[in-house]
DNA sequence: GTGGTAAACGAACGGGGTTCGTTTACCGGC
DNA sequence: GCCGGTAAACGAACCCCGTTCGTTTACCAC
């Protein structure tokens, strides 16, 4: 009675049916991150959630760094890139930004992980870049410009995702009187947003996204005009 | 000969002259971060650098979280906000972005720290926001819009700073053939940048900054036109 | 069968941040 | 001029973490 059914402690030795797999470990890690934050998703916690000893994880995952990379891929796989096949470049870029941000908005604590760690080249993230790059070039963006446009755009999205994960009251100046202009705009924003029902992060993201797209459209138009000019001149 | 001059081991008890101070600890931490990265700047390493036992640090700093916040303040204090007093809003924003990014570019590993941790409201960072907010409102931006413009702009800057800290080869598709469009734009950018001598991160930052400013100018103009319209109508 | 591979356990290791008690110096008041 | 409280250093622990290593057991191929 002390060995089998209630405590379900597994004895040493390979089990008849495999208990773990890389995929299962990654998904469990993501679930724990969502539930308890990053610090609640250590090796020991993941093992406990799976009813397993920590050392067993190392039969399927090289270490924590690789595990985090796996979780990141799990999240970024859900960023849709389909828009680039059917929409004009600017509308596609907009949809991409929305999907990108949404994917990480569902798992706020992972954003800091993605932002810092480098992505391994074999991961599926490269396919995302491929789809975006193809869309931009097909629309007429110069080859040597396309990647920097993508990176610049991604900078904004990533920053917005971080902002999304931050504490909403992070900026609150409170009752201090030594920053009057800051306090005034903070209060004005709070009231305006409460009336319209949108969150601070969404509002800033919307403004930035519109600005970025408008600016890129202007640059695109200028490039097209210059190209026309060159052709006429020759 | 075993007690005083060579090993310079300090005996227990309060020393005649204080050895530590919060400021000194923060500066040492920043120096170690610059020299050895984040993982080389733990409590024990900071103590060793100061010739002190780890526990002594806790007489001046509550814990690692507070220490990190202090380091972040140390860096962000160096972001100049003077431009807002003398330049038009858009030129000031541009200068702010350049200074902001430069401040963290000097200490790449700190970027990830700033991005994630919330800032305590009493810190000097609030003064930065105050200066920026005052500049925007004075230029005519509506009170309830100003903060979201600032946050959106900061999202981009922060993302760009993270990009700056990332491995330059992070995106390199290498020789794989399954992402042709991505490989093509990567190669095209490499060649173009090598010719002009600018770094990938700088290029993307420049493009994004121009786009963001152009977009905000357009929004500003639209708001001004609408305001004029309202006035004429009434 | 028999040996090799692989997946689980279990016990340790090393290194982090942190706490607590002790020792010593300064400082303010009787 | 002593005397007690506060504060700053030490030193030894504590707990938690990621990780490694040896052992045990199951499967599989020859």
């Amino acid at each position: 009675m002390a060995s089998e059914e209630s405590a379900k402690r597994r004895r040493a030795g390979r089990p008849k049916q495999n208990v773990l797999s890389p995929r299962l470990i990654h998904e469990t890690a993501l679930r724990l991150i969502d539930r308890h934050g990053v610090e609640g998703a250590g090796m020991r916690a993941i093992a406990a959630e799976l009813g397993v000893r920590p050392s067993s994880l190392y039969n399927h995952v090289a270490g924590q760094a690789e595990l985090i990379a796996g979780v990141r891929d799990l999240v970024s796989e859900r960023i849709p890139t389909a828009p680039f096949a059917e929409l004009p470049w600017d509308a596609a870029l907009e949809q991409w930004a929305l999907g990108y941000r949404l994917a990480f908005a569902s798992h706020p604590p992972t954003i800091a992980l993605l932002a810092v760690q480098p992505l391994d080249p074999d991961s599926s993230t490269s396919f995302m870049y491929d789809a975006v790059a193809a869309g931009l070039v097909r629309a007429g963006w110069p080859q040597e410009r396309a990647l920097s446009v993508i990176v610049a755009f991604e900078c904004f999205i990533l920053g917005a995702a971080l902002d999304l994960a931050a504490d909403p009251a992070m900026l609150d100046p409170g009752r201090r009187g030594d920053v009057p202009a800051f306090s005034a705009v903070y209060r004005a924003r709070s009231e305006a947003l409460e009336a319209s029902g949108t969150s601070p992060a969404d509002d800033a993201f919307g403004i930035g996204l519109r600005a970025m797209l408008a600016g890129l459209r202007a640059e695109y138009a200028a490039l097209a005009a210059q190209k026309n000019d060159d052709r006429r001149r020759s």
Side-chain angles (χ1 to χ4, degrees), chain A:
Chain A
M1 107 193 194
S3 67
E4 215 168 351
E5 86 283 349
S6 71
K8 35 179 139 163
R9 253 235 311 283
R10 195 172 15 247
R11 297 232 332 280
R14 183 173 189 155
K16 315 212 168 197
Q17 211 175 344
N18 283 9
V19 183
L20 298 176
S21 74
R23 177 93 198 186
L24 181 61
I25 294 175
H26 293 149
E27 283 169 348
T28 306
L30 181 54
R31 185 153 32 94
L32 284 181
I33 288 177
D34 285 343
R35 204 185 302 160
H36 301 121
V38 209
E39 59 281 353
M43 289 293 173
R44 285 178 150 90
I46 296 172
E49 174 82 6
L50 286 167
V52 145
R53 300 285 153 177
S55 57
S56 306
L57 300 176
Y58 290 83
N59 286 322
H60 303 267
V61 172
Q64 198 175 37
E66 189 190 288
L67 192 153
I68 290 175
V71 173
R72 170 168 39 52
D73 282 358
L74 217 53
V75 174
S76 62
E77 268 170 20
R78 290 172 196 156
I79 302 172
T81 56
F84 286 92
E86 26 191 85
L87 294 176
W89 69 270
D90 52 345
L93 222 43
E94 184 176 11
Q95 291 304 311
W96 180 53
L98 291 170
Y100 200 136
R101 180 166 171 270
L102 184 64
F104 284 96
S106 317
H107 315 281
T110 62
I111 299 170
L113 301 183
L114 168 128
V116 179
Q117 290 244 347
L119 61 88
D120 67 315
D122 298 330
S123 79
S124 59
T125 317
S126 296
F127 290 109
M128 179 178 80
Y129 288 117
D130 191 56
V132 180
L136 290 185
V137 171
R138 194 178 332 116
W141 279 92
Q143 291 251 14
E144 72 278 7
R145 273 287 181 79
L147 188 50
S148 286
V149 167
I150 295 174
V151 171
F153 210 76
E154 204 181 8
C155 283
F156 169 67
I157 299 174
L158 222 65
L162 277 169
D163 179 46
L164 197 58
D167 183 356
M170 166 167 161
L171 291 178
D172 193 347
R175 301 209 160 280
R176 63 191 286 189
D178 52 353
V179 284
F182 182 37
S183 298
V185 298
Y186 187 86
R187 203 173 318 115
R189 186 191 68 165
S190 296
E191 288 164 7
L193 291 185
E194 199 163 352
S196 73
T198 56
S199 80
D202 285 347
D203 190 49
F205 180 65
I207 287 184
L209 184 57
R210 276 202 311 277
M212 200 102 198
L213 285 171
L216 287 180
R217 269 188 223 104
E219 175 130 3
Y220 178 81
L223 283 173
Q226 184 186 332
K227 216 189 290 175
N228 267 342
D229 213 41
D230 289 355
R231 200 180 303 145
R232 203 172 305 151
R233 214 180 282 261
S234 68

